Amino acid sequence: QLKILSTALLSVIILHKALGRVKWLALILLTAGAALIQLPSGDSNVFASKAGGDPVVGVGAVLFACLTSGFAGVWFEWILKASKVSIWMRNIQLALYGVVLGFVTAMMKDREKIVENGFLQGYNWVVWMVILLQAVGGLIVAAVLKYADNILKCFGNAASILLTCAVGYYFLGDFEPSMPFGVGTCCVIASTYLYSVGASLRPIFDTLGMTKFSKSGMPSSMEGVQMGLMRSEEKERHSHAHP
């Protein structure tokens, strides 16, 4: 889930997106909440070491994957917003690469079965529904990137994890809520609220002095109050001088 923070950081660097302290706090809460939600429940030890594994290489690979994944999403958002090409054309262009690579991989692994029984062997209505959902989901993600941004997509991904867990609990019976899941759910809800009302909370942070310092060395909010008092005193002196 570090992809959330890497996406936000790359959005600031590449797209020059402005994120205040409240929104960064919301993103940190979202990262923690999404990680807690996905912790496996039960007696399984998620920190159990595996024989032959290298923790340094594993952590490095995860961090590199987070950066590359976040960079791909931010770059795709920049392409969609910077060019006049429609979403449909961009999706077709990207899908062509996937079709070619998928076809080559399928022929390399299952060429004999494909030649014998055809490429669509075993396809039923469930498979077609999955394909349809994947296609519609891709179009929705492209629309979110074009008309919103990658950060809001991260909030949508966290909400989809919660929805999947709810479906698994109420309909499939293959999920049992745990304490980390409850804490993670609260973090996701709180982060969504903080991110959506971040601008309206700015006066509170200004009152507490949690703003950037101006050139005079004092918080910008206090300097604004001081300037207002100086203007009031100047007007008062001016009114006494010219009754």
Side-chain angles (χ1 to χ4, degrees):
Q1 297 300 328
L2 287 175
K3 176 189 172 184
I4 298 173
L5 296 179
S6 65
T7 299
L9 181 61
L10 291 170
S11 296
V12 172
I13 296 174
I14 298 175
L15 302 178
H16 306 289
K17 190 179 296 294
L19 296 176
R21 289 177 174 83
V22 179
K23 290 190 175 182
W24 277 112
L25 176 61
L27 290 172
I28 294 173
L29 273 177
L30 180 66
T31 303
L36 289 173
I37 288 172
Q38 291 185 297
L39 285 178
S41 58
D43 298 331
S44 59
N45 187 4
V46 296
F47 301 103
S49 61
K50 303 295 182 182
D54 191 340
V56 177
V57 176
V59 172
V62 169
L63 293 177
F64 183 73
C66 292
L67 289 175
T68 53
S69 179
F71 178 78
V74 173
W75 190 259
F76 185 46
E77 178 185 347
W78 180 80
I79 291 176
L80 288 176
K81 292 181 176 179
S83 64
K84 297 181 180 180
V85 181
S86 65
I87 294 179
W88 299 97
M89 183 57 64
R90 287 300 185 195
N91 275 279
I92 292 173
Q93 292 173 350
L94 292 173
L96 287 176
Y97 294 100
V99 169
V100 172
L101 292 176
F103 180 77
V104 171
T105 303
M107 294 301 294
M108 290 176 61
K109 295 184 64 176
D110 302 312
R111 184 175 182 277
E112 297 180 356
K113 294 181 180 179
I114 293 175
V115 172
E116 181 181 354
N117 299 318
F119 189 81
L120 300 180
Q121 57 180 305
Y123 277 50
N124 53 23
W125 70 272
V126 178
V127 176
W128 284 111
M129 284 297 297
V130 172
I131 295 173
L132 178 63
L133 287 175
Q134 292 288 338
V136 174
L139 293 174
I140 293 175
V141 168
V144 170
L145 294 181
K146 183 174 180 62
Y147 300 109
D149 54 32
N150 266 283
I151 298 177
L152 293 180
K153 184 174 75 71
C154 293
F155 281 91
N157 290 337
S160 68
I161 296 174
L162 288 176
L163 180 61
T164 302
C165 294
V167 172
Y169 176 74
Y170 287 105
F171 298 99
L172 302 179
D174 59 352
F175 175 76
E176 284 294 331
S178 60
M179 180 61 70
F181 177 81
V183 175
T185 301
C186 295
C187 289
V188 170
I189 296 173
S191 65
T192 304
Y193 175 78
L194 282 177
Y195 193 86
S196 61
V197 300
S200 62
L201 292 179
R202 179 63 185 270
I204 300 177
F205 283 82
D206 288 343
T207 304
L208 296 176
M210 298 176 63
T211 55
K212 294 182 179 180
F213 284 84
S214 61
K215 295 181 180 179
S216 61
M218 66 177 62
S220 57
S221 59
M222 293 179 63
E223 187 179 27
V225 173
Q226 186 181 30
M227 292 295 295
L229 292 174
M230 291 174 62
R231 292 193 188 98
S232 299
E233 292 176 357
E234 184 179 355
K235 289 181 180 180
E236 186 176 356
R237 287 197 300 268
H238 188 270
S239 62
H240 287 310
H242 302 281

